[in-house]
Amino acid sequence: MLFELSVIGHAVSDFRLEEAIAQAGIARGEPATPEERINPPWLKQFGLDRNLYKDTHGHFSPKGADWRQWGLRTKVAAIVTWLGHDPPGTWWTYAQIECVDWFPQAHADSEPIVDVADACLGEPH
């Protein structure tokens, strides 16, 4: 468990660093296509590509089958993406990931995993 907590802490830090670097580049006027703003290239470093996980409305909506294939860093990045801000802490993030892992609907291939995450968070996003 200590290893997992360490991975989670580093993944949140890495995610925020990559996001900050990208935002600083945009602020400096570095060119970014509309696609790069919606689906930043650095997200792929975390195993996330919004184009791979779109629902019929074009929203980022991976399914249970995707969640089960993801590694811990990708799950952390997904949680941070859904929250839209830093999670309250490493232990909290670990608990959210464990909750999704344990939630029966997360094992359904077609279940939108964000719905499962919302149930674990106790609030819709």
Side-chain angles (χ1 to χ4, degrees), residues 47-50 52-55 59-68 70 74 78-79 81-82 108-116:
L48 295 178
D49 182 339
R50 292 181 189 261
L52 295 176
Y53 306 113
K54 285 184 181 177
D55 64 11
H59 299 109
F60 177 62
S61 185
K63 307 290 186 234
D66 303 315
W67 180 267
R68 287 192 313 276
W70 289 348
T74 304
I79 294 286
T81 298
W82 289 322
D109 286 352
S110 61
E111 180 74 23
I113 209 68
V114 71
D115 293 345
V116 176

Short mmCIF file of all heavy atoms in Angstrom, two decimals, residues 47-50 52-55 59-68 70 74 78-79 81-82 108-116:
data_model
loop_
_atom_site.label_atom_id
_atom_site.label_comp_id
_atom_site.label_asym_id
_atom_site.label_seq_id
_atom_site.Cartn_x
_atom_site.Cartn_y
_atom_site.Cartn_z
N GLY A 47 -1.65 7.96 -20.19
CA GLY A 47 -2.49 6.93 -20.76
C GLY A 47 -3.90 7.40 -21.08
O GLY A 47 -4.78 6.58 -21.33
N LEU A 48 -4.11 8.71 -21.06
CA LEU A 48 -5.42 9.25 -21.37
C LEU A 48 -5.39 9.96 -22.72
O LEU A 48 -4.48 10.73 -23.00
CB LEU A 48 -5.88 10.25 -20.31
CG LEU A 48 -6.11 9.69 -18.92
CD1 LEU A 48 -6.51 10.82 -17.97
CD2 LEU A 48 -7.19 8.63 -18.94
N ASP A 49 -6.37 9.69 -23.52
CA ASP A 49 -6.56 10.37 -24.80
C ASP A 49 -8.06 10.57 -24.92
O ASP A 49 -8.81 9.61 -25.07
CB ASP A 49 -6.02 9.51 -25.93
CG ASP A 49 -6.14 10.18 -27.30
OD1 ASP A 49 -6.97 11.11 -27.45
OD2 ASP A 49 -5.42 9.76 -28.21
N ARG A 50 -8.48 11.80 -24.81
CA ARG A 50 -9.92 12.08 -24.82
C ARG A 50 -10.59 11.54 -26.08
O ARG A 50 -11.78 11.21 -26.04
CB ARG A 50 -10.17 13.57 -24.67
CG ARG A 50 -9.80 14.08 -23.29
CD ARG A 50 -10.09 15.58 -23.19
NE ARG A 50 -9.55 16.13 -21.98
CZ ARG A 50 -10.26 16.36 -20.89
NH1 ARG A 50 -11.53 16.07 -20.86
NH2 ARG A 50 -9.69 16.88 -19.83
N LEU A 52 -10.07 8.70 -27.45
CA LEU A 52 -10.31 7.26 -27.30
C LEU A 52 -11.48 6.96 -26.37
O LEU A 52 -12.02 5.86 -26.39
CB LEU A 52 -9.06 6.57 -26.73
CG LEU A 52 -7.83 6.58 -27.61
CD1 LEU A 52 -6.66 5.93 -26.88
CD2 LEU A 52 -8.09 5.89 -28.93
N TYR A 53 -11.85 7.93 -25.55
CA TYR A 53 -12.84 7.67 -24.50
C TYR A 53 -14.02 8.64 -24.57
O TYR A 53 -14.50 9.10 -23.55
CB TYR A 53 -12.18 7.76 -23.12
CG TYR A 53 -10.98 6.87 -22.98
CD1 TYR A 53 -9.71 7.39 -22.84
CD2 TYR A 53 -11.12 5.48 -23.01
CE1 TYR A 53 -8.61 6.56 -22.71
CE2 TYR A 53 -10.03 4.65 -22.88
CZ TYR A 53 -8.77 5.20 -22.73
OH TYR A 53 -7.69 4.38 -22.61
N LYS A 54 -14.50 8.93 -25.77
CA LYS A 54 -15.64 9.84 -25.92
C LYS A 54 -16.95 9.08 -25.92
O LYS A 54 -17.05 7.99 -26.46
CB LYS A 54 -15.53 10.60 -27.25
CG LYS A 54 -14.51 11.69 -27.27
CD LYS A 54 -14.57 12.43 -28.58
CE LYS A 54 -13.54 13.52 -28.64
NZ LYS A 54 -13.55 14.20 -29.94
N ASP A 55 -17.97 9.72 -25.32
CA ASP A 55 -19.31 9.15 -25.41
C ASP A 55 -19.99 9.72 -26.65
O ASP A 55 -19.36 10.43 -27.45
CB ASP A 55 -20.12 9.42 -24.13
CG ASP A 55 -20.39 10.89 -23.87
OD1 ASP A 55 -20.15 11.74 -24.76
OD2 ASP A 55 -20.85 11.20 -22.76
N HIS A 59 -18.20 13.83 -24.83
CA HIS A 59 -17.62 14.04 -23.50
C HIS A 59 -16.65 12.91 -23.15
O HIS A 59 -16.83 11.78 -23.57
CB HIS A 59 -18.72 14.10 -22.43
CG HIS A 59 -19.68 15.22 -22.65
ND1 HIS A 59 -20.97 15.01 -23.04
CD2 HIS A 59 -19.52 16.56 -22.54
CE1 HIS A 59 -21.58 16.16 -23.16
NE2 HIS A 59 -20.72 17.13 -22.86
N PHE A 60 -15.67 13.22 -22.35
CA PHE A 60 -14.71 12.24 -21.85
C PHE A 60 -15.45 11.26 -20.95
O PHE A 60 -15.91 11.63 -19.88
CB PHE A 60 -13.60 12.97 -21.07
CG PHE A 60 -12.58 12.06 -20.45
CD1 PHE A 60 -11.79 11.24 -21.23
CD2 PHE A 60 -12.39 12.05 -19.09
CE1 PHE A 60 -10.83 10.42 -20.65
CE2 PHE A 60 -11.44 11.25 -18.49
CZ PHE A 60 -10.66 10.43 -19.28
N SER A 61 -15.62 10.04 -21.43
CA SER A 61 -16.42 9.08 -20.69
C SER A 61 -15.94 7.65 -20.90
O SER A 61 -16.56 6.85 -21.59
CB SER A 61 -17.90 9.20 -21.11
OG SER A 61 -18.70 8.37 -20.32
N PRO A 62 -14.79 7.30 -20.30
CA PRO A 62 -14.32 5.91 -20.40
C PRO A 62 -15.30 4.97 -19.71
O PRO A 62 -16.08 5.37 -18.86
CB PRO A 62 -12.97 5.93 -19.70
CG PRO A 62 -12.95 7.18 -18.91
CD PRO A 62 -13.92 8.13 -19.49
N LYS A 63 -15.24 3.72 -20.07
CA LYS A 63 -16.15 2.70 -19.55
C LYS A 63 -15.41 1.80 -18.55
O LYS A 63 -14.20 1.88 -18.39
CB LYS A 63 -16.70 1.86 -20.70
CG LYS A 63 -17.33 2.67 -21.82
CD LYS A 63 -18.62 3.30 -21.37
CE LYS A 63 -19.31 3.97 -22.54
NZ LYS A 63 -19.64 5.33 -22.33
N GLY A 64 -16.19 0.90 -17.95
CA GLY A 64 -15.62 -0.03 -16.98
C GLY A 64 -14.49 -0.85 -17.56
O GLY A 64 -13.49 -1.12 -16.90
N ALA A 65 -14.62 -1.26 -18.83
CA ALA A 65 -13.57 -2.04 -19.48
C ALA A 65 -12.27 -1.24 -19.57
O ALA A 65 -11.18 -1.80 -19.41
CB ALA A 65 -14.02 -2.47 -20.87
N ASP A 66 -12.37 0.07 -19.80
CA ASP A 66 -11.17 0.93 -19.86
C ASP A 66 -10.52 1.01 -18.49
O ASP A 66 -9.31 0.83 -18.36
CB ASP A 66 -11.55 2.34 -20.33
CG ASP A 66 -12.25 2.34 -21.68
OD1 ASP A 66 -11.77 1.64 -22.59
OD2 ASP A 66 -13.26 3.04 -21.81
N TRP A 67 -11.34 1.27 -17.47
CA TRP A 67 -10.83 1.41 -16.10
C TRP A 67 -10.04 0.17 -15.67
O TRP A 67 -8.97 0.28 -15.08
CB TRP A 67 -12.00 1.67 -15.15
CG TRP A 67 -11.59 1.83 -13.71
CD1 TRP A 67 -11.54 0.85 -12.77
CD2 TRP A 67 -11.18 3.04 -13.06
NE1 TRP A 67 -11.14 1.37 -11.57
CE2 TRP A 67 -10.91 2.71 -11.71
CE3 TRP A 67 -11.01 4.36 -13.48
CZ2 TRP A 67 -10.47 3.67 -10.79
CZ3 TRP A 67 -10.59 5.30 -12.57
CH2 TRP A 67 -10.33 4.96 -11.25
N ARG A 68 -10.57 -0.99 -15.97
CA ARG A 68 -9.90 -2.24 -15.55
C ARG A 68 -8.55 -2.41 -16.23
O ARG A 68 -7.67 -3.08 -15.68
CB ARG A 68 -10.80 -3.44 -15.85
CG ARG A 68 -11.98 -3.55 -14.89
CD ARG A 68 -12.69 -4.88 -15.01
NE ARG A 68 -12.97 -5.31 -16.36
CZ ARG A 68 -14.02 -4.93 -17.09
NH1 ARG A 68 -14.90 -4.10 -16.59
NH2 ARG A 68 -14.19 -5.38 -18.31
N TRP A 70 -6.51 0.14 -17.09
CA TRP A 70 -5.60 1.22 -16.73
C TRP A 70 -4.72 0.88 -15.56
O TRP A 70 -5.11 0.18 -14.63
CB TRP A 70 -6.39 2.47 -16.36
CG TRP A 70 -7.07 3.15 -17.50
CD1 TRP A 70 -6.89 2.94 -18.82
CD2 TRP A 70 -8.05 4.18 -17.40
NE1 TRP A 70 -7.70 3.77 -19.55
CE2 TRP A 70 -8.42 4.53 -18.69
CE3 TRP A 70 -8.65 4.82 -16.33
CZ2 TRP A 70 -9.36 5.52 -18.95
CZ3 TRP A 70 -9.58 5.80 -16.58
CH2 TRP A 70 -9.93 6.15 -17.89
N THR A 74 -2.78 6.21 -14.55
CA THR A 74 -3.88 6.60 -15.42
C THR A 74 -5.14 6.82 -14.61
O THR A 74 -5.89 7.78 -14.85
CB THR A 74 -4.11 5.55 -16.53
OG1 THR A 74 -2.88 5.38 -17.25
CG2 THR A 74 -5.20 5.98 -17.49
N ALA A 78 -7.25 10.28 -14.35
CA ALA A 78 -8.69 10.34 -14.64
C ALA A 78 -9.44 11.00 -13.48
O ALA A 78 -10.30 11.85 -13.70
CB ALA A 78 -9.24 8.95 -14.92
N ILE A 79 -9.11 10.63 -12.25
CA ILE A 79 -9.77 11.22 -11.08
C ILE A 79 -9.52 12.72 -11.05
O ILE A 79 -10.45 13.51 -10.85
CB ILE A 79 -9.30 10.55 -9.77
CG1 ILE A 79 -9.72 9.08 -9.71
CG2 ILE A 79 -9.75 11.33 -8.55
CD1 ILE A 79 -11.19 8.83 -9.43
N THR A 81 -8.75 14.66 -13.56
CA THR A 81 -9.45 15.24 -14.71
C THR A 81 -10.92 15.43 -14.38
O THR A 81 -11.50 16.48 -14.66
CB THR A 81 -9.28 14.34 -15.95
OG1 THR A 81 -7.89 14.26 -16.27
CG2 THR A 81 -10.03 14.90 -17.14
N TRP A 82 -11.55 14.43 -13.78
CA TRP A 82 -12.97 14.53 -13.44
C TRP A 82 -13.22 15.59 -12.39
O TRP A 82 -14.22 16.28 -12.43
CB TRP A 82 -13.52 13.18 -12.97
CG TRP A 82 -13.63 12.19 -14.08
CD1 TRP A 82 -14.00 12.44 -15.36
CD2 TRP A 82 -13.36 10.80 -14.02
NE1 TRP A 82 -13.98 11.29 -16.11
CE2 TRP A 82 -13.59 10.26 -15.30
CE3 TRP A 82 -12.95 9.96 -13.00
CZ2 TRP A 82 -13.43 8.92 -15.60
CZ3 TRP A 82 -12.78 8.61 -13.29
CH2 TRP A 82 -13.01 8.10 -14.58
N ALA A 108 -18.70 -3.62 -15.24
CA ALA A 108 -19.51 -3.73 -16.45
C ALA A 108 -18.78 -3.01 -17.58
O ALA A 108 -18.42 -1.84 -17.44
CB ALA A 108 -20.89 -3.13 -16.23
N ASP A 109 -18.53 -3.72 -18.66
CA ASP A 109 -17.75 -3.14 -19.76
C ASP A 109 -18.31 -1.83 -20.28
O ASP A 109 -17.57 -0.94 -20.66
CB ASP A 109 -17.66 -4.13 -20.93
CG ASP A 109 -16.71 -5.27 -20.64
OD1 ASP A 109 -16.00 -5.21 -19.62
OD2 ASP A 109 -16.67 -6.21 -21.44
N SER A 110 -19.64 -1.69 -20.30
CA SER A 110 -20.24 -0.51 -20.91
C SER A 110 -20.63 0.58 -19.91
O SER A 110 -21.12 1.63 -20.32
CB SER A 110 -21.48 -0.92 -21.71
OG SER A 110 -22.42 -1.51 -20.84
N GLU A 111 -20.41 0.37 -18.63
CA GLU A 111 -20.79 1.37 -17.62
C GLU A 111 -19.86 2.58 -17.70
O GLU A 111 -18.63 2.42 -17.62
CB GLU A 111 -20.70 0.75 -16.22
CG GLU A 111 -21.08 1.70 -15.11
CD GLU A 111 -22.57 1.96 -15.03
OE1 GLU A 111 -23.34 1.11 -15.53
OE2 GLU A 111 -22.95 3.00 -14.49
N PRO A 112 -20.41 3.79 -17.86
CA PRO A 112 -19.54 4.99 -17.82
C PRO A 112 -18.89 5.09 -16.45
O PRO A 112 -19.56 5.21 -15.43
CB PRO A 112 -20.51 6.14 -18.07
CG PRO A 112 -21.71 5.53 -18.70
CD PRO A 112 -21.79 4.13 -18.12
N ILE A 113 -17.59 5.03 -16.43
CA ILE A 113 -16.88 4.97 -15.16
C ILE A 113 -16.99 6.28 -14.39
O ILE A 113 -16.90 6.30 -13.16
CB ILE A 113 -15.41 4.52 -15.38
CG1 ILE A 113 -14.89 3.80 -14.14
CG2 ILE A 113 -14.53 5.66 -15.76
CD1 ILE A 113 -15.54 2.48 -13.89
N VAL A 114 -17.24 7.39 -15.08
CA VAL A 114 -17.42 8.66 -14.37
C VAL A 114 -18.66 8.59 -13.48
O VAL A 114 -18.70 9.19 -12.41
CB VAL A 114 -17.47 9.87 -15.33
CG1 VAL A 114 -18.75 9.90 -16.15
CG2 VAL A 114 -17.28 11.17 -14.57
N ASP A 115 -19.68 7.84 -13.88
CA ASP A 115 -20.86 7.66 -13.02
C ASP A 115 -20.50 6.90 -11.75
O ASP A 115 -20.99 7.20 -10.67
CB ASP A 115 -21.98 6.93 -13.77
CG ASP A 115 -22.56 7.74 -14.92
OD1 ASP A 115 -22.33 8.98 -14.96
OD2 ASP A 115 -23.24 7.15 -15.78
N VAL A 116 -19.65 5.90 -11.90
CA VAL A 116 -19.19 5.14 -10.74
C VAL A 116 -18.34 6.05 -9.84
O VAL A 116 -18.51 6.06 -8.61
CB VAL A 116 -18.39 3.89 -11.17
CG1 VAL A 116 -17.84 3.15 -9.96
CG2 VAL A 116 -19.24 2.98 -12.03
#
